[in-house]
Amino acid sequence: MQSAIKGELATLEQAQEMGLRPEEFDQIKDILGRTPNFTEMCIYSVMWSEHCSYKNSIKWLKTLPKEGPHMLVKAGEENAGLVDIGDGLGCAFKIESHNHPSAIEPYQGAATGVGGINRDIFTMGARPIAQLNSLRFGDLSNPKTKWLLEGVVKGIGDYGNAFGVPVVGGEVFFDESYQVNPLVNAMSAGILKVGEMISATASGVGNPVYIVGSATGKDGIQGASFASKDITEDSANDLPSVQVGDPFQEKLLLEATLELAKTDAVVGMQDMGAAGITCSTSEMSAAGEVGMNIDLDKVPLRQDDMKAYEILLSESQERMLVVVKKGHESEVVRIFDKWDLHAEHIGEVTEGNTLNYFQGGELVASVPAQSLVLGGGAPIYEREYTEPAYYAESKKFNIDQVEEPKDLVVVARKLLAHPNIASKKWVWNQYDSMVGTANMSTNKPSDAAIVNIKGTNKAIALTVDCNARYVNADPEQGTAIAVAEAARNIVCSGGEPSAITNCLNFGNPYNPEVYWQFVGAIKGMSAACTKFQTPVTGGNVSFYNQTANPDGSAKPVFPTPTIGMLGVLKDKSLQTTLDFKYKGDLIYLLGESKNDINSSEYLASILGVKNSPAPWFDIDEEYRLQGCVKSLIKNNYINAAHDVSNGGLYTALVEMGLPNGLGFDIVSDADVRRDAFLFGESQSRIVVSVTEDYEGEFIDLVGNHGVSLTLLGHVTQGKMMVDGDHFGFVDDIRKIYDDSIGNEMKK
Amino acid sequence: MKFGVITFPGSNCDQDMVYTLRDILGMQVEELWHKDKDLKGVDFVVVPGGFSYGDYLRSGAIARFSPIMSEVIEHANKGGYVMGICNGFQILTEAGLLPGALLHNNSRKFICDNIYLTPQSGSAIISSNLDSQKAYKIPIAHGEGNYFADAETLKRLNDKDQIIFRYCDAEGHITEESNPNGSAENIAGVCNAAKNVFGMMPHPERASDFELGNTDGREIFEAMLSLTNA
């Protein structure tokens, strides 16, 4: 057998250079019963990379709650999660990171992140209808940060705008921990008819295998391995690992793929993302317990003389692997011809489980598919973890250690101008948010984005949330808060939380303190997802997000487990907005004000205290609060609902006033420090506005739910008053709030 | 009135336009493919928005060479109605059916936002039947929407009543601040001299569905349809 395989044998040095560990190289030899050749070793190096194998995270990922009444596929089984939304429709949705490429080439890095996540959705036969993204950068006043922000936003915009799927929501957060290593997480959601999903499984011995879409070039070779190592000063040398995106090809591929999905010609399909042909052929074969013979000479190439490993590892974008029913080949060719795309027959499904790759008529690699994949032969590691010293240290913080500033009006203005609080308009005006004519939040703002499902009485609600400062302070509680906030946003918008996808961005897993953060995050997520009945449908893990110092030490990014949540509005009329509607409406706070400024933007950015515990949070109280708001909305007792989050109650009130230029006149709570009352971020609070006529019914209903209630004051014509102190007019604040980021970018 | 909506490779507002015309306004709509060689008997051709052929050269520069465009030109020359929205407007200027050109926004950035339009031409059916005192809230979404024409052309457009919409503020005032992209004279849309070919950067089809909370675009379609059906 061995003599039949062409190519130099790989050495341990080469394997280590490609990111394999010595014991992994031995394991490969055991699996093959021989030393792999160079091409085969390359295949293992990418498939067993952190990015593809989840080797350091899968043990913990398996503990996440995955069962739910509406789940149509299990987490990790297909390219994205699929949730039943009723009316015979399913919603496929997923979030994914593209952090490392974006760190060195922000424009292409972000663009191809958008391309990749959308392909995950439409490869299942679902048409993407909404995108979101979650971005994190260093200090905005740093010129490098501006360059990264500018490039990432343009990359997301240029790709998504041309592709034609609206960006309906997202978040942008700045903290110096992301200075060298920004986070770019992209999410997409698509709709399909239940029962028409295309599976990422190969089957049927003798069925032809096609590569469709763009030609294969030398771009992005070993991107998966690149994503699985630390970002350092030398990372720019890895530029060839960054892929190049072409949204026009992606749009054609989308239309051709969905046209193909309507035929009977397809057995299975998977997009080519990380590790290109290698990953798609091995995962589809392993899922179907079959093998494949693939002729690399048939793959359309962008350049001559590509070596076998280059073709196998290329991460050229806008490609798919399709297993076609024998006899239906002409249908495939006809459809891709119509859209001027390649559709090349490159191989066949075979019996057994071996992947044989040929070039120039010779066998250049022969590996068992099962041995390559997660859940098969890919290694699984248990990592050690230890509580970092900063955790106990942070817990010592007490509000009494800081004095309350004398002039809170000045603090309020500073806070609203801070890039973490100010409007992200500069960012989202560069994204097409309205293409598809289904974004119901453009003119009716709410905490989550609401997307119309045309032809039904339903809409979906989408949000991405994670306050990484909380997670850093307390991974378990911080992550539970991220899930709770996502659910709260959906509930405030009139939706029922349904399921989540997650993007777990952490530092180096071999650092026990980083791994401690990871384990805590998983525990917190499990608890909260169980409580809110929002199972985890999938997502991705991105480790090695950190700044490696020349002396060998490293500073990890804030642990950032981004939560993407899907909710359903069974009836569009339940849509609830966050804006004050009428002068004179009563403003109520649901939930309790606390003497708590822990981990608030106010404490970190205005008072400069970086280490403090996570804000107050009680999951049972949160659950009662959300139940209460759901029934208030069903009974039509409230005119607006907005959750208190980043920036505290004051920021929430301003955000409610801005859309219609209305203000507020409120009184604070004598038992709580005024700065904590206005700017504290203790959880489980929602501000609502109520018409006086319904006040009695409203109070009774809230009482029945056992949720605490405070009358704050009323909506004014535009003046903002707290305890009789004038905080300015909302139209003046608008300039500060709207233009702060744009002005900083011009500097 | 039978409408035809053309799909070029890279069009992405074609289905939005079909939905608006067919499902919201109840019109008969024929979906046309860029490789088609006839217009299938439609009375009114719509060239929708998007990024035809990726717009890697100049927006609309390649689409004008699609087989169907010679049919569209013939249709227009015979007096048939043609409307281009956004990328469709760019294609119609590239094809020579409308005067002027669309340059990069003066901000050099793609802009997606609600803006306001004030109807101008009293003789073109797309604007003549609208409330001239009203500012219509319509979304824009483009990177190249900065309308340019030389002084002579601008004078002719004004003299011949060929400017159909200008950007304005929420109160209907035509101001520099309300011009989102640097367009000459705040021009958001123009028509040809014969008043049967229209082009505009803003997207009325994105403000036509009651579910979206803004139906100012629907008013533009309905005002026009009441004239064409009359």
Side-chain angles (χ1 to χ4, degrees):
Chain A
M1 182 76 184
Q2 193 172 349
S3 60
I5 303 169
K6 201 192 161 210
E8 296 273 316
L9 295 185
T11 65
L12 177 61
E13 290 69 42
Q14 287 170 334
Q16 283 182 290
E17 218 167 277
M18 304 287 260
L20 287 165
R21 308 173 86 77
E23 63 272 25
E24 290 172 345
F25 191 59
D26 288 340
Q27 206 179 331
I28 296 166
K29 287 196 248 181
D30 283 348
I31 289 168
L32 297 178
R34 59 183 169 82
T35 302
N37 68 17
F38 182 75
T39 305
E40 292 166 331
M41 186 276 291
C42 288
I43 291 172
Y44 279 97
S45 80
V46 289
M47 289 305 294
W48 287 8
S49 70
E50 192 69 59
H51 189 77
C52 292
S53 74
Y54 294 82
K55 60 188 169 191
N56 286 309
S57 59
I58 189 66
K59 177 183 176 273
W60 285 97
L61 297 178
K62 282 189 169 161
T63 66
L64 290 167
K66 297 194 174 67
E67 304 295 326
H70 302 129
M71 300 288 283
L72 293 173
V73 302
K74 280 198 184 127
E77 210 166 68
E78 297 292 346
N79 282 290
L82 186 64
V83 173
D84 191 346
I85 59 167
D87 287 340
L89 298 174
C91 179
F93 72 113
K94 191 182 180 189
I95 190 167
E96 221 169 52
S97 63
H98 235 216
N99 304 333
H100 286 65
S102 304
I104 57 168
E105 218 297 45
Y107 179 82
Q108 290 295 349
T112 51
V114 170
I117 192 63
N118 280 299
R119 269 195 310 285
D120 273 335
I121 302 304
F122 70 79
T123 191
M124 293 173 74
R127 178 176 285 278
I129 61 164
Q131 305 188 83
L132 297 92
N133 52 66
S134 172
L135 311 177
R136 287 181 177 71
F137 299 93
D139 183 354
L140 184 59
S141 61
N142 184 314
K144 174 88 182 283
T145 305
K146 289 178 190 168
W147 175 75
L148 287 166
L149 178 64
E150 185 100 42
V152 164
V153 170
K154 189 162 170 52
I156 291 172
D158 282 0
Y159 202 101
N161 297 344
F163 183 54
V165 177
V167 175
V168 299
E171 50 173 3
V172 189
F173 181 82
F174 302 91
D175 181 86
E176 57 197 17
S177 76
Y178 305 106
Q179 199 62 54
V180 171
N181 195 141
L183 303 183
V184 175
N185 296 175
M187 175 169 162
S188 178
I191 299 293
L192 51 67
K193 281 192 187 145
V194 174
E196 291 186 5
M197 187 197 73
I198 300 177
S199 181
T201 306
S203 64
V205 172
N207 276 332
V209 178
Y210 276 74
I211 187 168
V212 303
S214 292
T216 299
K218 288 188 184 177
D219 53 329
I221 289 173
Q222 281 217 300
S225 302
F226 168 54
S228 308
K229 63 183 189 185
D230 296 338
I231 290 279
T232 67
E233 290 303 319
D234 299 329
S235 291
N237 299 338
D238 282 324
L239 203 55
S241 297
V242 179
Q243 312 84 351
V244 178
D246 181 348
F248 173 58
Q249 290 294 317
E250 177 107 336
K251 170 69 175 164
L252 302 184
L253 188 59
L254 163 74
E255 297 302 337
T257 302
L258 293 183
E259 204 169 317
L260 184 65
K262 284 187 205 145
T263 68
D264 287 331
V266 184
V267 174
M269 177 154 60
Q270 179 163 342
D271 79 301
M272 290 192 197
I277 294 177
T278 301
C279 187
S280 52
T281 50
S282 55
E283 288 188 352
M284 286 188 77
S285 299
E289 294 176 350
V290 293
M292 281 183 193
N293 285 340
I294 300 292
D295 185 353
L296 299 177
D297 293 334
K298 301 252 175 73
V299 175
L301 302 179
R302 283 187 203 154
Q303 52 220 101
D304 296 335
D305 300 326
M306 279 182 71
K307 297 191 175 67
Y309 83 91
E310 291 175 323
I311 299 172
L312 283 165
L313 269 49
S314 163
E315 294 186 6
S316 288
Q317 299 290 290
E318 295 94 24
R319 299 177 301 159
M320 299 262 196
L321 191 77
V322 189
V323 177
V324 177
K325 265 183 214 161
K326 205 172 171 53
H328 290 258
E329 293 87 341
S330 61
E331 281 175 66
V332 179
V333 172
R334 178 185 58 79
I335 290 170
F336 281 81
D337 253 4
K338 174 184 165 188
W339 292 97
D340 302 318
L341 290 170
H342 291 289
E344 292 297 332
H345 179 184
I346 59 167
E348 267 82 36
V349 176
T350 59
E351 232 178 294
N353 190 234
T354 306
L355 296 167
N356 290 316
Y357 301 103
F358 298 87
Q359 191 179 41
E362 290 181 288
L363 186 60
V364 292
S366 178
V367 289
Q370 209 68 41
S371 72
L372 295 168
V373 302
L374 166 70
I380 295 176
Y381 298 133
E382 284 196 33
R383 294 259 73 85
E384 286 177 2
Y385 53 95
T386 48
E387 185 185 298
Y390 82 82
Y391 178 63
E393 202 54 41
S394 298
K395 284 212 182 286
K396 291 181 189 159
F397 173 81
N398 182 304
I399 187 170
D400 298 332
Q401 291 163 6
V402 292
E403 226 177 285
E404 183 179 323
K406 291 207 168 51
D407 192 345
L408 292 183
V409 177
V410 171
V411 171
R413 285 189 174 239
K414 265 195 200 163
L415 197 59
L416 285 175
H418 190 281
N420 282 345
I421 306 287
S423 165
K424 308 301 183 291
K425 190 181 161 130
W426 182 90
V427 173
W428 47 254
N429 270 0
Q430 297 184 55
Y431 306 147
D432 192 338
S433 57
M434 307 187 210
V435 62
T437 59
N439 184 349
M440 293 170 65
S441 297
T442 306
N443 303 302
K444 296 180 278 183
S446 52
D447 283 0
I450 309 296
V451 182
N452 189 17
I453 307 297
K454 289 176 185 173
T456 75
N457 198 28
K458 285 196 170 67
I460 56 171
L462 297 163
T463 181
V464 282
D465 291 287
C466 177
N467 187 318
R469 188 182 292 124
Y470 304 170
V471 183
N472 188 58
D474 184 335
E476 196 166 335
Q477 181 158 324
T479 307
I481 290 174
V483 175
E485 189 189 341
R488 203 186 306 143
N489 285 336
I490 283 173
V491 166
C492 284
S493 311
E496 184 71 45
S498 179
I500 74 155
T501 172
N502 58 35
C503 195
L504 307 173
N505 310 272
F506 289 81
N508 187 323
Y510 292 85
N511 173 345
E513 296 188 350
V514 166
Y515 210 73
W516 174 84
Q517 295 174 330
F518 177 74
V519 171
I522 296 293
K523 287 180 181 167
M525 194 182 304
S526 286
C529 287
T530 304
K531 184 76 187 180
F532 298 106
Q533 293 149 294
T534 51
V536 179
T537 64
N540 96 316
V541 179
S542 171
F543 282 132
Y544 307 96
N545 293 293
Q546 60 185 25
T547 307
N549 299 318
D551 68 356
S553 68
K555 190 179 183 297
V557 298
F558 271 174
T560 313
T562 311
I563 305 298
M565 190 178 280
L566 168 74
V568 178
L569 279 71
K570 283 188 192 123
D571 185 335
K572 280 173 217 177
S573 66
L574 291 171
Q575 183 184 11
T576 301
T577 52
L578 62 78
D579 52 318
F580 289 141
K581 310 284 186 303
Y582 311 104
K583 182 189 155 195
D585 267 6
L586 302 171
I587 305 171
Y588 272 96
L589 176 70
L590 302 172
E592 237 177 286
S593 292
K594 306 264 178 199
N595 209 33
D596 175 14
I597 53 172
N598 288 343
S599 283
S600 62
E601 197 62 56
Y602 163 67
L603 182 63
S605 300
I606 307 290
L607 300 182
V609 178
K610 302 291 181 194
N611 290 317
S612 63
W616 181 89
F617 175 65
D618 182 290
I619 200 166
D620 295 316
E621 198 153 312
E622 176 77 40
Y623 190 75
R624 275 197 300 278
L625 172 74
Q626 292 187 18
C628 173
V629 170
K630 280 186 221 171
S631 49
L632 287 172
I633 289 172
K634 268 188 206 122
N635 285 287
N636 211 6
Y637 288 164
I638 52 177
N639 287 338
H642 187 27
D643 85 314
V644 177
S645 62
N646 205 5
L649 176 67
Y650 181 78
T651 303
L653 291 167
V654 171
E655 287 169 348
M656 295 175 87
L658 281 166
N660 300 316
L662 295 168
F664 49 85
D665 187 350
I666 60 162
V667 288
S668 66
D669 185 331
D671 297 336
V672 175
R673 241 169 77 163
R674 233 160 64 112
D675 57 346
F677 176 80
L678 290 174
F679 313 123
E681 297 180 13
S682 73
Q683 296 296 296
S684 310
R685 291 181 294 159
I686 291 171
V687 182
V688 297
S689 70
V690 182
T691 308
E692 223 164 356
D693 300 349
Y694 284 105
E695 195 185 8
E697 291 94 328
F698 165 79
I699 291 173
D700 289 347
L701 191 82
V702 176
N704 292 343
H705 281 268
V707 169
S708 69
L709 182 67
T710 314
L711 175 62
L712 295 175
H714 64 272
V715 177
T716 67
Q717 189 71 45
K719 205 173 183 181
M720 303 187 296
M721 301 290 289
V722 180
D723 298 330
D725 293 340
H726 187 199
F727 274 61
F729 290 94
V730 80
D731 282 331
D732 297 330
I733 292 293
R734 184 192 309 280
K735 289 189 191 74
I736 301 173
Y737 182 78
D738 277 1
D739 299 340
S740 171
I741 291 181
N743 289 340
E744 182 60 43
M745 290 303 286
K746 281 186 210 144
K747 280 184 196 164
Chain B
M1 180 73 50
K2 185 171 160 191
F3 283 84
V5 178
I6 304 176
T7 299
F8 294 95
S11 294
N12 63 28
C13 304
D14 47 335
Q15 288 308 310
D16 297 350
M17 185 58 80
V18 170
Y19 183 78
T20 300
L21 292 170
R22 188 186 279 158
D23 297 356
I24 295 175
L25 296 163
M27 293 289 120
Q28 204 186 341
V29 179
E30 195 72 58
E31 295 179 40
L32 302 170
W33 179 238
H34 73 116
K35 290 178 187 169
D36 285 348
K37 293 203 174 74
D38 76 282
L39 295 178
K40 300 182 179 170
V42 305
D43 309 297
F44 197 130
V45 176
V46 182
V47 189
F51 288 72
S52 53
Y53 298 93
D55 280 345
Y56 291 125
L57 177 56
R58 218 169 43 239
S59 295
I62 298 182
R64 60 165 287 225
F65 294 110
S66 267
I68 200 158
M69 280 311 291
S70 48
E71 300 303 312
V72 173
I73 291 168
E74 198 184 317
H75 175 77
N77 289 340
K78 280 195 236 154
Y81 288 119
V82 179
M83 174 160 74
I85 307 288
C86 197
N87 190 229
F89 183 17
Q90 294 160 345
I91 293 169
L92 295 181
T93 61
E94 288 286 339
L97 286 175
L98 288 172
L102 283 313
L103 310 181
H104 280 284
N105 297 344
N106 57 356
S107 66
R108 296 273 143 184
K109 285 185 168 45
F110 186 95
I111 308 167
C112 174
D113 210 351
N114 275 322
I115 52 85
Y116 290 92
L117 291 182
T118 173
Q120 298 286 295
S121 173
S123 52
I125 56 159
I126 192 163
S127 53
S128 61
N129 207 15
L130 293 170
D131 180 353
S132 62
Q133 297 308 305
K134 180 177 167 170
Y136 290 80
K137 184 164 88 174
I138 308 290
I140 55 165
H142 58 246
E144 297 173 35
N146 178 357
Y147 186 77
F148 173 83
D150 58 35
E152 198 184 316
T153 308
L154 287 174
K155 184 174 184 308
R156 194 176 69 240
L157 291 176
N158 279 298
D159 291 348
K160 299 270 163 84
D161 200 25
Q162 282 175 250
I163 296 164
I164 56 178
F165 293 107
R166 289 188 209 267
Y167 299 108
C168 64
D169 64 17
E171 280 75 46
H173 306 299
I174 301 166
T175 62
E176 201 180 322
E177 295 74 46
S178 58
N179 183 345
N181 51 27
S183 288
E185 297 184 9
N186 279 38
I187 291 172
V190 298
C191 65
N192 64 347
K195 316 262 160 86
N196 63 321
V197 179
F198 318 108
M200 61 193 288
M201 289 313 296
H203 287 270
E205 82 281 11
R206 295 185 179 188
S208 294
D209 191 345
F210 177 72
E211 301 294 355
L212 306 186
N214 175 14
T215 48
D216 282 4
R218 184 175 183 160
E219 288 181 34
I220 294 176
F221 285 115
E222 282 174 345
M224 179 178 75
L225 285 169
S226 69
L227 293 177
T228 55
N229 290 337

